[in-house]
Amino acid sequence: MPEAPVIIVGAGIAGLVAATRISQAGLPVVLLEARNRIGGRIFTQHDSSGSAIEFGAEFIHGRPSEIWQPLENAGAVITEIEGQSWCVSHGKISSCEFFSQVDSILDSMDDSHPDESFLTFLERRFPNPSQEPGLVEAKRRAIAYVSGFNAADPALIGVRWLTSETRAEVKNQGDRAFRSENGYVDLLGAFLRQIEHSNVRITMGAVVERVEWKPGTAKVVARVDNTEAAFTSAHILITLPISLLQASQGIGTVEFVPVLPREKVASLEHIEMGKVIRMVLRFRHRFWDTISPTAESRRSGNKTLIDMGFLFSEDECFPTWWTSMPKKEPVITGWAPFRAAERLSGLSQSTITDKALGTLSTSLGVSMRDLEGLLDASYVHDWQTDPFSRGAYSYGKVGALEAQRELGKPVESTLFFAGEATDTSGNNGTVHGAIASGYRAAEEIIRATRK
């Protein structure tokens, strides 16, 4: 009698990696994906010029082997991101002077203290009763950085989690950032080629609704093309985003029968899903190449924004922008995290595009009429309204480190868990953290099949 396949719920990068490794061990795999595409929160499309438009993950943060090794084996071209950072404050474009102040604040975080939120830490460590303007500004910039980079609520995100993240970044040279030539689709392709001739069956449009389980066996009930289908196995791997594990209703919600162990359910309370909306604008030409910063910045040798990599503003909708540097493409990406995402979520693409153009108009001193005339295409993805993500990526609240470990633990050698939210190395919210979790869960399953 043939061996029952391992069932994997979710064909994001964690599920795809796990399927690759499990199939290499000689085990058949059925990979169930609710969408009509693989990749999950990796979502690359290409515009009419062939340029990669990333709706999800874009940057390779540092040099993690989980990403670099498969890309290099596949012959992908990887380019380090370059460019100058500019800041807009009080209507003026100038060099960003706050990075060292923010670094100083972040470096002062100490996980030897009882865990606390980032906002609580700021008030305890930098009370500023006299409201000294420099410190007020530094704290504001630190909050903006933590909220922006992690798409997180600074009143919820935990200092111990942030400290763990910082250490992981140092280990991976996370102060450097890279892109693959064709976007993250290069990475997906590298893993897809590995399973192309293996015993892995991918079923698209399979919306899992229920997992019935007991020690040693489980049944996954899904709706495929509006028809109920059941898949049975002794080993089920769940790679759903944390937001879906936390959800109690709506499409994408999965019911566990019986419910998951109390400890695992409790771990979900310490992990939060970040919020973000991405806006990519393609213009007919790089209009910012001729825009001049302040006179002081020009005197330092920066005559225009031609080498702009990042633009930071105080805008309430799109506080962060980046270009395609070092490529000189007429493309700029807007990042709307946390509160900005809440303001924009659910609005139409045309409305969000207008908000984005308004931000650029105010920040760069270009009229809306001129920007609208130059606009060639706009692309938006609202991750909050995406039913199979319901957010961007996870971050840890106070007390999260043990929660992530608990979330990733197998249940009765029957239910297994992977995904970036289960990473315990400080790489939550990253593609390499998701990949590492997929390998970890695959090894757990392989060991379980050999008992």
Side-chain angles (χ1 to χ4, degrees):
M1 183 176 180
E3 186 171 16
V6 174
I7 309 261
I8 300 178
V9 178
I13 192 65
L16 192 61
V17 165
T20 302
R21 176 66 190 98
I22 292 168
S23 66
Q24 288 172 348
L27 300 170
V29 176
V30 170
L31 187 54
L32 303 177
E33 171 53 47
R35 296 180 171 95
N36 60 2
R37 63 175 179 84
I38 64 164
R41 286 167 281 168
I42 292 177
F43 186 12
T44 308
Q45 292 188 346
H46 290 85
D47 66 13
S48 58
S49 71
S51 299
I53 302 297
E54 297 286 20
F55 291 101
E58 177 173 354
F59 301 119
I60 302 171
H61 297 283
R63 297 185 61 88
S65 61
E66 292 89 351
I67 296 177
W68 279 80
Q69 184 173 330
L71 283 178
E72 289 182 330
N73 290 344
V77 177
I78 304 173
T79 304
E80 186 160 11
I81 294 170
E82 301 172 354
Q84 298 169 341
S85 293
W86 294 97
C87 285
V88 180
S89 182
H90 306 295
K92 296 181 178 179
I93 306 169
S94 60
S95 300
C96 300
E97 305 294 341
F98 61 85
F99 289 128
S100 61
Q101 296 171 305
V102 171
D103 287 343
S104 179
I105 289 175
L106 298 180
D107 288 344
S108 67
M109 291 188 299
D110 185 353
D111 61 3
S112 66
H113 286 84
D115 203 5
E116 59 189 342
S117 74
F118 185 68
L119 279 190
T120 301
F121 156 77
L122 280 181
E123 292 309 307
R124 176 183 61 80
R125 183 69 175 77
F126 304 95
N128 199 21
S130 61
Q131 292 296 294
E132 192 275 314
L135 184 53
V136 169
E137 177 66 6
K139 290 168 67 174
R140 188 182 68 80
R141 292 289 188 178
I143 291 170
Y145 172 80
V146 168
S147 298
F149 188 79
N150 300 287
D153 184 343
L156 294 180
I157 194 167
V159 166
R160 286 191 173 180
W161 184 88
L162 282 168
T163 302
S164 175
E165 177 188 58
T166 300
R167 288 172 178 162
E169 287 175 358
V170 171
K171 184 178 179 180
N172 285 323
Q173 302 180 42
D175 58 329
R176 302 170 68 187
F178 304 81
R179 290 189 185 95
S180 190
E181 177 74 15
N182 300 302
Y184 258 110
V185 70
D186 286 342
L187 185 65
L188 295 180
F191 285 109
L192 278 175
R193 283 189 288 275
Q194 291 184 48
I195 65 173
E196 190 173 13
H197 302 294
S198 65
N199 197 1
V200 176
R201 178 163 59 93
I202 303 176
T203 301
M204 300 290 195
V207 181
V208 174
E209 297 178 338
R210 190 167 67 256
V211 176
E212 301 171 3
W213 67 279
K214 60 183 178 180
T217 185
K219 180 171 72 172
V220 176
V221 179
R223 188 155 296 277
V224 183
D225 297 328
N226 294 320
T227 301
E228 187 174 285
F231 306 83
T232 303
S233 176
H235 308 289
I236 309 291
L237 174 58
I238 309 295
T239 71
L240 297 173
I242 187 73
S243 52
L244 295 187
L245 293 176
Q246 293 168 330
S248 59
Q249 60 183 358
I251 187 171
T253 302
V254 176
E255 178 187 12
F256 289 87
V257 182
V259 297
L260 295 173
R262 183 179 65 251
E263 295 81 6
K264 192 170 291 291
V265 173
S267 70
L268 297 173
E269 298 177 1
H270 293 282
I271 307 173
E272 192 74 11
M273 193 68 156
K275 301 174 182 179
V276 78
I277 290 175
R278 289 182 58 117
M279 171 92 257
V280 183
L281 300 173
R282 183 175 190 89
F283 294 94
R284 291 186 173 83
H285 63 80
R286 286 166 48 98
F287 66 87
W288 54 89
D289 284 359
T290 58
I291 294 176
S292 298
T294 61
E296 181 180 351
S297 296
R298 291 197 300 273
R299 283 195 295 272
S300 65
N302 300 308
K303 295 183 178 180
T304 72
L305 306 185
I306 191 170
D307 292 322
M308 180 173 71
F310 283 84
L311 178 70
F312 301 98
S313 75
E314 299 167 344
D315 186 77
E316 65 177 12
C317 290
F318 288 98
T320 303
W321 294 84
W322 59 81
T323 69
S324 58
M325 287 288 288
K327 288 185 177 181
K328 295 290 183 74
E329 296 179 333
V331 174
I332 190 165
T333 298
W335 183 254
F338 181 40
R339 293 286 185 227
E342 292 177 347
R343 294 184 182 100
L344 296 173
S345 186
L347 300 179
S348 67
Q349 176 170 337
S350 60
T351 299
I352 296 174
T353 300
D354 286 344
K355 295 280 189 182
L357 291 175
T359 298
L360 288 180
S361 174
T362 301
S363 299
L364 299 179
V366 182
S367 74
M368 278 287 287
R369 182 176 180 178
D370 286 346
L371 289 180
E372 289 168 347
L374 288 170
L375 185 64
D376 190 44
S378 66
Y379 309 87
V380 177
H381 197 79
D382 180 348
W383 286 99
Q384 287 61 246
T385 60
D386 184 321
F388 304 116
S389 291
R390 301 195 192 186
Y393 42 82
S394 74
Y395 63 91
K397 298 195 290 188
V398 175
L401 296 185
E402 289 303 316
Q404 288 156 339
R405 188 171 290 106
E406 184 63 45
L407 181 62
K409 284 183 180 178
V411 177
E412 301 287 356
S413 294
T414 304
L415 301 181
F416 299 80
F417 296 83
E420 50 86 11
T422 70
D423 177 77
T424 58
S425 65
N427 292 308
N428 312 105
T430 68
V431 173
H432 51 281
I435 292 174
S437 77
Y439 281 129
R440 183 259 308 153
E443 295 302 330
E444 292 169 346
I445 290 171
I446 292 168
R447 288 195 298 270
T449 64
R450 293 172 177 170
K451 288 184 179 178

